[in-house]
Amino acid sequence: MSARTTAAHPAPRGASHSAGRRPAARSAGRPSIAFAPMHLPASVESPDAGEFLAFTGAANAMWRSDSSTDLFREDPAEWLVGLRETTYVDKSGIVARRGEEIVGFAGLACPRAAKRTAHVDIVIHPDRRDDDEADALLAEIERRARERGRTSLRAFAFASADAGGDRLPSPTGSGSLPRDAWQTRFLVRNGYALGQVERASVFDLQGSFEAVDRLLEAAVAKAGPDYRVAWWQTPTPEEHIEGYAAAISRLDGDAPSGELPVEADPWDAQRVRDREDLKRRAGQTMAVTVVIHEPTGQVAAYNELVIGADRTAPTENYGTLVMPEHRGRRLGTIVKCVGLRRWSELVPTSPVVRTFNAEENRYMLDVNEAVGFRPAAYTGEWTKELT
Protein backbone atom coordinates (compact mmCIF):
# COMPACT_ATOMS: atom_id res chain seq x y z
CA MET A 1 0.00 0.00 0.00
CA SER A 2 3.05 2.21 -0.02
CA ALA A 3 3.35 4.85 -2.71
CA ARG A 4 7.06 4.83 -2.06
CA THR A 5 7.65 1.27 -3.06
CA THR A 6 7.82 0.73 -6.80
CA ALA A 7 8.58 -2.94 -6.97
CA ALA A 8 6.72 -4.19 -3.89
CA HIS A 9 3.53 -2.32 -3.10
CA PRO A 10 2.00 -3.75 0.06
CA ALA A 11 -1.41 -4.49 -1.35
CA PRO A 12 -4.73 -5.96 -0.32
CA ARG A 13 -6.07 -9.09 -1.93
CA GLY A 14 -9.59 -9.21 -3.24
CA ALA A 15 -11.83 -10.80 -0.62
CA SER A 16 -15.26 -10.36 0.86
CA HIS A 17 -15.65 -7.94 3.76
CA SER A 18 -16.96 -10.62 6.05
CA ALA A 19 -14.43 -13.37 5.34
CA GLY A 20 -11.66 -13.95 7.85
CA ARG A 21 -12.72 -11.44 10.49
CA ARG A 22 -10.47 -11.54 13.54
CA PRO A 23 -11.39 -9.63 16.72
CA ALA A 24 -8.86 -7.58 18.67
CA ALA A 25 -8.95 -6.61 22.32
CA ARG A 26 -12.03 -4.72 23.48
CA SER A 27 -11.59 -1.16 24.79
CA ALA A 28 -13.74 -0.14 27.71
CA GLY A 29 -17.20 0.93 26.58
CA ARG A 30 -16.51 0.29 22.88
CA PRO A 31 -16.92 -2.71 20.58
CA SER A 32 -13.77 -4.71 19.93
CA ILE A 33 -11.84 -4.15 16.70
CA ALA A 34 -12.44 -6.74 13.99
CA PHE A 35 -10.00 -7.36 11.17
CA ALA A 36 -10.92 -8.62 7.70
CA PRO A 37 -9.21 -8.84 4.30
CA MET A 38 -9.60 -5.60 2.36
CA HIS A 39 -11.60 -5.92 -0.82
CA LEU A 40 -10.22 -4.76 -4.17
CA PRO A 41 -13.03 -3.84 -6.61
CA ALA A 42 -12.90 -4.41 -10.36
CA SER A 43 -12.67 -0.63 -10.81
CA VAL A 44 -13.07 2.55 -8.77
CA GLU A 45 -16.52 2.98 -10.35
CA SER A 46 -17.73 -0.44 -9.15
CA PRO A 47 -20.61 -0.47 -6.62
CA ASP A 48 -18.33 -2.28 -4.14
CA ALA A 49 -15.46 0.25 -4.37
CA GLY A 50 -16.37 2.13 -1.18
CA GLU A 51 -13.91 0.37 1.09
CA PHE A 52 -11.03 0.80 -1.35
CA LEU A 53 -11.86 4.49 -1.87
CA ALA A 54 -11.95 4.95 1.91
CA PHE A 55 -8.45 3.47 2.04
CA THR A 56 -7.04 5.72 -0.71
CA GLY A 57 -8.73 8.76 0.82
CA ALA A 58 -7.24 8.00 4.24
CA ALA A 59 -3.76 7.34 2.80
CA ASN A 60 -3.71 10.55 0.76
CA ALA A 61 -4.96 12.56 3.76
CA MET A 62 -2.34 10.96 6.00
CA TRP A 63 0.54 11.71 3.63
CA ARG A 64 -0.69 15.27 3.10
CA SER A 65 -0.88 15.84 6.86
CA ASP A 66 2.46 14.21 7.69
CA SER A 67 4.44 15.77 4.82
CA SER A 68 2.69 19.17 4.87
CA THR A 69 2.35 18.99 1.09
CA ASP A 70 -0.03 17.49 -1.47
CA LEU A 71 2.82 16.41 -3.76
CA PHE A 72 2.49 12.72 -2.87
CA ARG A 73 -1.17 12.18 -3.61
CA GLU A 74 -1.91 8.96 -5.51
CA ASP A 75 -4.72 8.48 -8.04
CA PRO A 76 -7.07 5.70 -6.85
CA ALA A 77 -7.61 4.17 -10.32
CA GLU A 78 -3.87 3.85 -10.96
CA TRP A 79 -3.25 2.64 -7.44
CA LEU A 80 -5.82 -0.12 -7.82
CA VAL A 81 -3.84 -1.69 -10.67
CA GLY A 82 -0.57 -1.59 -8.75
CA LEU A 83 -1.97 -3.02 -5.53
CA ARG A 84 -2.79 -6.45 -6.88
CA GLU A 85 -0.64 -9.46 -6.10
CA THR A 86 2.08 -10.24 -8.67
CA THR A 87 4.46 -13.01 -9.62
CA TYR A 88 7.17 -11.22 -7.67
CA VAL A 89 5.42 -9.97 -4.52
CA ASP A 90 2.94 -11.63 -2.17
CA LYS A 91 0.59 -8.79 -1.19
CA SER A 92 -2.24 -8.60 1.28
CA GLY A 93 -4.21 -5.92 3.08
CA ILE A 94 -6.64 -5.73 5.98
CA VAL A 95 -9.29 -3.32 7.17
CA ALA A 96 -10.01 -2.72 10.87
CA ARG A 97 -13.53 -1.89 12.09
CA ARG A 98 -15.31 -1.10 15.32
CA GLY A 99 -18.79 -2.24 14.52
CA GLU A 100 -19.52 -0.68 11.11
CA GLU A 101 -16.94 2.10 11.48
CA ILE A 102 -13.62 1.75 9.63
CA VAL A 103 -10.76 2.72 11.95
CA GLY A 104 -7.77 1.93 9.73
CA PHE A 105 -6.03 -0.19 7.15
CA ALA A 106 -2.80 -2.19 7.02
CA GLY A 107 -0.80 -3.70 4.19
CA LEU A 108 1.86 -6.36 3.92
CA ALA A 109 4.22 -7.01 0.98
CA CYS A 110 6.54 -10.00 0.93
CA PRO A 111 8.98 -10.09 -2.00
CA ARG A 112 8.96 -13.72 -3.15
CA ALA A 113 12.71 -13.78 -3.78
CA ALA A 114 13.38 -12.76 -0.17
CA LYS A 115 13.15 -15.12 2.77
CA ARG A 116 12.81 -12.86 5.81
CA THR A 117 11.95 -9.33 4.71
CA ALA A 118 8.46 -7.81 4.50
CA HIS A 119 7.17 -4.26 4.04
CA VAL A 120 4.35 -3.10 6.31
CA ASP A 121 2.07 -0.06 6.06
CA ILE A 122 -0.43 1.35 8.51
CA VAL A 123 -3.00 3.78 7.10
CA ILE A 124 -5.19 5.75 9.54
CA HIS A 125 -6.90 8.99 8.64
CA PRO A 126 -5.13 11.82 10.53
CA ASP A 127 -8.46 13.09 11.89
CA ARG A 128 -9.12 9.90 13.82
CA ARG A 129 -5.77 8.59 15.01
CA ASP A 130 -6.11 6.56 18.19
CA ASP A 131 -3.00 5.05 19.77
CA ASP A 132 -4.71 1.87 20.98
CA GLU A 133 -6.34 1.22 17.59
CA ALA A 134 -3.09 1.91 15.71
CA ASP A 135 -1.13 -0.43 18.00
CA ALA A 136 -3.71 -3.20 17.56
CA LEU A 137 -3.66 -2.80 13.78
CA LEU A 138 0.13 -2.98 13.65
CA ALA A 139 0.17 -6.02 15.94
CA GLU A 140 -2.27 -7.78 13.61
CA ILE A 141 -0.24 -7.14 10.45
CA GLU A 142 2.91 -8.26 12.28
CA ARG A 143 1.13 -11.48 13.24
CA ARG A 144 0.32 -12.08 9.59
CA ALA A 145 3.94 -11.42 8.64
CA ARG A 146 5.04 -14.09 11.13
CA GLU A 147 2.58 -16.53 9.57
CA ARG A 148 4.40 -16.04 6.28
CA GLY A 149 7.78 -16.63 7.92
CA ARG A 150 8.78 -12.96 7.69
CA THR A 151 10.70 -11.69 10.70
CA SER A 152 12.52 -8.62 9.35
CA LEU A 153 10.05 -5.79 8.81
CA ARG A 154 10.39 -2.43 7.07
CA ALA A 155 8.07 0.56 7.27
CA PHE A 156 8.15 4.20 6.20
CA ALA A 157 6.53 7.44 7.30
CA PHE A 158 6.54 11.00 5.96
CA ALA A 159 7.72 14.04 7.91
CA SER A 160 7.38 17.71 7.05
CA ALA A 161 10.43 19.56 5.75
CA ASP A 162 9.53 22.42 8.11
CA ALA A 163 9.05 20.38 11.29
CA GLY A 164 10.96 21.77 14.26
CA GLY A 165 11.43 20.68 17.85
CA ASP A 166 13.51 17.89 19.33
CA ARG A 167 15.00 15.58 16.70
CA LEU A 168 15.63 11.83 16.41
CA PRO A 169 18.93 11.44 14.51
CA SER A 170 19.42 8.85 11.79
CA PRO A 171 21.87 6.06 12.71
CA THR A 172 23.75 6.89 9.48
CA GLY A 173 24.70 10.30 10.90
CA SER A 174 22.80 12.08 8.11
CA GLY A 175 19.32 13.47 8.67
CA SER A 176 16.83 13.41 11.53
CA LEU A 177 13.10 13.30 12.24
CA PRO A 178 10.88 15.19 14.71
CA ARG A 179 10.57 13.11 17.88
CA ASP A 180 7.08 14.42 18.68
CA ALA A 181 5.55 13.54 15.29
CA TRP A 182 2.71 11.03 15.66
CA GLN A 183 4.33 8.53 13.30
CA THR A 184 7.66 8.70 15.14
CA ARG A 185 6.03 8.10 18.52
CA PHE A 186 3.85 5.31 17.10
CA LEU A 187 6.72 3.37 15.54
CA VAL A 188 9.15 3.82 18.45
CA ARG A 189 6.44 2.74 20.90
CA ASN A 190 5.98 -0.47 18.92
CA GLY A 191 9.66 -1.42 18.83
CA TYR A 192 10.72 -0.03 15.44
CA ALA A 193 14.17 1.48 15.02
CA LEU A 194 14.98 4.28 12.63
CA GLY A 195 17.20 2.82 9.91
CA GLN A 196 17.57 5.76 7.55
CA VAL A 197 16.22 9.20 6.67
CA GLU A 198 15.37 9.98 3.05
CA ARG A 199 14.89 13.39 1.47
CA ALA A 200 11.96 13.91 -0.91
CA SER A 201 12.99 16.59 -3.41
CA VAL A 202 11.21 18.24 -6.33
CA PHE A 203 12.38 19.79 -9.59
CA ASP A 204 10.30 22.54 -11.22
CA LEU A 205 9.53 21.33 -14.74
CA GLN A 206 8.00 24.71 -15.59
CA GLY A 207 11.12 26.66 -14.59
CA SER A 208 14.56 27.25 -16.08
CA PHE A 209 16.64 24.42 -17.57
CA GLU A 210 19.79 26.52 -17.71
CA ALA A 211 21.54 24.55 -14.97
CA VAL A 212 20.44 21.27 -16.52
CA ASP A 213 21.94 22.13 -19.90
CA ARG A 214 25.17 23.48 -18.41
CA LEU A 215 25.71 20.45 -16.18
CA LEU A 216 24.91 18.03 -18.99
CA GLU A 217 27.47 19.56 -21.32
CA ALA A 218 30.20 19.34 -18.67
CA ALA A 219 29.23 15.79 -17.70
CA VAL A 220 29.31 14.49 -21.28
CA ALA A 221 32.78 15.96 -21.71
CA LYS A 222 33.90 14.28 -18.46
CA ALA A 223 32.49 10.87 -19.43
CA GLY A 224 34.34 10.77 -22.73
CA PRO A 225 33.77 8.79 -25.94
CA ASP A 226 33.38 5.36 -24.30
CA TYR A 227 29.88 6.28 -23.14
CA ARG A 228 26.74 7.07 -25.10
CA VAL A 229 23.19 7.98 -24.05
CA ALA A 230 20.03 6.07 -24.97
CA TRP A 231 16.49 7.19 -24.12
CA TRP A 232 13.15 5.52 -24.68
CA GLN A 233 9.50 5.65 -23.75
CA THR A 234 8.53 2.15 -22.71
CA PRO A 235 8.38 -0.59 -23.87
CA THR A 236 12.12 -1.09 -23.57
CA PRO A 237 13.95 -1.91 -26.82
CA GLU A 238 15.04 -5.56 -26.98
CA GLU A 239 18.68 -4.55 -27.45
CA HIS A 240 18.74 -2.91 -24.01
CA ILE A 241 16.38 -5.00 -21.90
CA GLU A 242 18.86 -7.50 -20.45
CA GLY A 243 21.35 -4.81 -19.46
CA TYR A 244 18.59 -2.60 -18.06
CA ALA A 245 17.20 -5.47 -15.95
CA ALA A 246 20.69 -6.26 -14.65
CA ALA A 247 21.12 -2.63 -13.58
CA ILE A 248 17.76 -2.56 -11.77
CA SER A 249 18.82 -5.70 -9.87
CA ARG A 250 21.76 -3.79 -8.46
CA LEU A 251 19.69 -0.95 -7.00
CA ASP A 252 18.69 -2.49 -3.67
CA GLY A 253 22.18 -3.75 -2.90
CA ASP A 254 24.18 -0.78 -4.16
CA ALA A 255 22.04 2.17 -3.04
CA PRO A 256 22.73 3.38 0.53
CA SER A 257 20.46 1.49 2.93
CA GLY A 258 21.57 2.66 6.37
CA GLU A 259 20.59 0.16 9.06
CA LEU A 260 17.79 -1.35 6.97
CA PRO A 261 17.65 -5.07 6.18
CA VAL A 262 18.27 -5.77 2.49
CA GLU A 263 17.70 -9.04 0.63
CA ALA A 264 18.33 -9.60 -3.06
CA ASP A 265 15.28 -9.04 -5.28
CA PRO A 266 16.53 -9.87 -8.78
CA TRP A 267 15.13 -8.53 -12.04
CA ASP A 268 15.23 -10.10 -15.49
CA ALA A 269 13.78 -9.18 -18.87
CA GLN A 270 10.41 -10.77 -18.09
CA ARG A 271 10.02 -8.79 -14.89
CA VAL A 272 10.75 -5.58 -16.80
CA ARG A 273 8.06 -6.52 -19.33
CA ASP A 274 5.59 -7.37 -16.57
CA ARG A 275 6.10 -3.98 -14.94
CA GLU A 276 5.70 -2.22 -18.28
CA ASP A 277 2.42 -4.06 -18.83
CA LEU A 278 1.22 -3.03 -15.36
CA LYS A 279 2.05 0.61 -16.12
CA ARG A 280 0.21 0.41 -19.42
CA ARG A 281 -2.91 -1.03 -17.77
CA ALA A 282 -2.78 1.73 -15.15
CA GLY A 283 -2.65 4.40 -17.87
CA GLN A 284 0.82 5.47 -16.81
CA THR A 285 3.65 6.73 -19.02
CA MET A 286 7.24 5.72 -18.29
CA ALA A 287 10.51 6.85 -19.87
CA VAL A 288 14.02 5.54 -19.26
CA THR A 289 17.42 7.15 -19.81
CA VAL A 290 20.53 4.96 -19.82
CA VAL A 291 24.23 5.40 -20.46
CA ILE A 292 25.81 2.56 -22.42
CA HIS A 293 29.48 1.66 -21.98
CA GLU A 294 30.47 1.15 -25.60
CA PRO A 295 33.45 -1.21 -25.12
CA THR A 296 31.32 -3.73 -23.17
CA GLY A 297 27.74 -2.85 -24.13
CA GLN A 298 26.88 -2.70 -20.42
CA VAL A 299 24.17 -0.40 -19.09
CA ALA A 300 26.40 1.75 -16.88
CA ALA A 301 23.69 4.06 -15.46
CA TYR A 302 19.93 4.55 -15.67
CA ASN A 303 17.10 6.86 -14.59
CA GLU A 304 13.32 6.26 -14.73
CA LEU A 305 10.45 8.79 -14.80
CA VAL A 306 6.75 7.91 -14.51
CA ILE A 307 3.46 9.82 -14.61
CA GLY A 308 -0.16 8.71 -14.42
CA ALA A 309 -3.11 9.35 -16.68
CA ASP A 310 -3.37 12.90 -15.33
CA ARG A 311 -0.54 14.62 -17.16
CA THR A 312 -0.88 17.70 -14.94
CA ALA A 313 0.12 15.70 -11.85
CA PRO A 314 3.63 15.43 -10.37
CA THR A 315 6.05 13.06 -12.08
CA GLU A 316 7.71 10.31 -10.06
CA ASN A 317 11.42 9.52 -10.34
CA TYR A 318 11.68 5.76 -9.79
CA GLY A 319 15.21 4.34 -9.82
CA THR A 320 18.48 6.15 -10.50
CA LEU A 321 21.72 4.19 -10.35
CA VAL A 322 25.28 4.33 -11.60
CA MET A 323 26.91 0.92 -11.61
CA PRO A 324 29.82 0.94 -9.11
CA GLU A 325 32.43 0.08 -11.73
CA HIS A 326 31.45 3.18 -13.74
CA ARG A 327 31.27 5.78 -10.99
CA GLY A 328 33.35 8.95 -11.01
CA ARG A 329 32.47 9.88 -14.60
CA ARG A 330 29.36 11.99 -13.90
CA LEU A 331 27.05 9.40 -15.45
CA GLY A 332 24.44 10.13 -12.76
CA THR A 333 24.34 13.74 -13.91
CA ILE A 334 23.97 12.62 -17.53
CA VAL A 335 20.98 10.32 -16.98
CA LYS A 336 19.32 12.82 -14.66
CA CYS A 337 19.72 15.79 -17.03
CA VAL A 338 18.84 13.96 -20.24
CA GLY A 339 15.84 12.42 -18.51
CA LEU A 340 14.53 15.81 -17.35
CA ARG A 341 15.08 17.43 -20.75
CA ARG A 342 13.35 14.68 -22.71
CA TRP A 343 10.56 14.41 -20.15
CA SER A 344 9.76 18.12 -20.36
CA GLU A 345 9.19 17.60 -24.09
CA LEU A 346 7.18 14.39 -23.65
CA VAL A 347 4.97 15.65 -20.79
CA PRO A 348 5.10 19.46 -20.85
CA THR A 349 2.12 19.82 -18.48
CA SER A 350 3.59 18.06 -15.43
CA PRO A 351 4.57 20.68 -12.80
CA VAL A 352 7.38 18.88 -10.97
CA VAL A 353 9.45 15.72 -10.70
CA ARG A 354 9.63 14.24 -7.20
CA THR A 355 12.45 11.96 -6.10
CA PHE A 356 13.72 10.27 -2.92
CA ASN A 357 17.35 9.94 -1.83
CA ALA A 358 18.99 8.71 1.35
CA GLU A 359 20.37 11.64 3.32
CA GLU A 360 23.76 9.89 3.40
CA ASN A 361 23.76 9.55 -0.42
CA ARG A 362 25.74 12.74 -0.84
CA TYR A 363 26.66 11.98 -4.44
CA MET A 364 23.07 11.95 -5.73
CA LEU A 365 22.03 14.81 -3.47
CA ASP A 366 24.89 16.89 -4.91
CA VAL A 367 23.69 16.06 -8.42
CA ASN A 368 20.07 16.87 -7.62
CA GLU A 369 20.88 20.11 -5.82
CA ALA A 370 23.08 21.29 -8.70
CA VAL A 371 20.34 20.45 -11.21
CA GLY A 372 17.77 22.41 -9.20
CA PHE A 373 15.91 19.95 -6.95
CA ARG A 374 14.77 21.39 -3.61
CA PRO A 375 13.70 19.57 -0.41
CA ALA A 376 9.93 19.10 -0.12
CA ALA A 377 9.59 16.54 2.72
CA TYR A 378 11.41 13.71 4.46
CA THR A 379 10.68 10.09 5.22
CA GLY A 380 11.78 7.86 8.02
CA GLU A 381 12.69 4.32 6.93
CA TRP A 382 12.07 2.05 9.90
CA THR A 383 12.92 -1.55 10.76
CA LYS A 384 11.94 -4.16 13.35
CA GLU A 385 13.13 -7.70 13.97
CA LEU A 386 10.31 -9.95 15.14
CA THR A 387 11.12 -12.41 17.92
Side-chain angles (χ1 to χ4, degrees), residues 117-137:
T117 307
H119 301 259
V120 300
D121 280 293
I122 301 297
V123 172
I124 299 175
H125 197 287
D127 291 345
R128 66 142 302 122
R129 281 172 168 165
D130 176 286
D131 287 354
D132 291 340
E133 292 172 349
D135 292 352
L137 186 52

Side-chain angles (χ1 to χ4, degrees), residues 294-379:
E294 290 279 40
T296 63
Q298 182 186 28
V299 172
Y302 77 93
N303 174 259
E304 304 160 323
L305 296 175
V306 179
I307 196 169
D310 179 4
R311 301 309 198 253
T312 66
T315 295
E316 178 83 12
N317 188 121
Y318 276 19
T320 303
L321 179 75
V322 179
M323 301 289 261
E325 57 269 34
H326 295 283
R327 290 174 183 167
R329 298 172 177 85
R330 299 189 187 175
L331 304 187
T333 299
I334 292 174
V335 293
K336 182 73 71 168
C337 291
V338 171
L340 290 172
R341 256 300 178 197
R342 295 297 300 267
W343 189 260
S344 69
E345 298 164 0
L346 180 67
V347 191
T349 51
S350 181
V352 297
V353 172
R354 63 192 191 196
T355 190
F356 294 85
N357 301 99
E359 275 290 280
E360 67 269 27
N361 190 354
R362 195 62 250 173
Y363 169 77
M364 281 311 305
L365 288 176
D366 284 345
V367 170
N368 285 340
E369 289 167 1
V371 167
F373 281 83
R374 58 176 176 80
Y378 292 88
T379 68

Side-chain angles (χ1 to χ4, degrees), residues 100-184:
E100 295 302 313
E101 181 187 14
I102 293 177
V103 301
F105 305 85
L108 178 68
C110 303
R112 298 188 193 280
K115 302 301 182 184
R116 300 178 57 247
T117 307
H119 301 259
V120 300
D121 280 293
I122 301 297
V123 172
I124 299 175
H125 197 287
D127 291 345
R128 66 142 302 122
R129 281 172 168 165
D130 176 286
D131 287 354
D132 291 340
E133 292 172 349
D135 292 352
L137 186 52
L138 183 55
E140 176 64 14
I141 206 68
E142 289 178 355
R143 184 191 68 79
R144 295 178 184 229
R146 284 191 189 92
E147 285 184 343
R148 290 165 170 78
R150 305 300 169 123
T151 57
S152 187
L153 304 185
R154 290 180 60 168
F156 92 97
F158 277 108
S160 171
D162 300 323
D166 190 26
R167 310 291 293 184
L168 175 67
S170 169
T172 67
S174 299
S176 63
L177 297 175
R179 287 186 186 273
D180 63 350
W182 187 89
Q183 290 271 30
T184 302

Side-chain angles (χ1 to χ4, degrees), residues 186-204:
F186 164 59
L187 290 164
V188 169
R189 183 173 68 246
N190 283 281
Y192 284 75
L194 181 61
Q196 184 181 59
V197 173
E198 285 199 333
R199 181 189 302 184
S201 306
V202 294
F203 175 82
D204 182 4

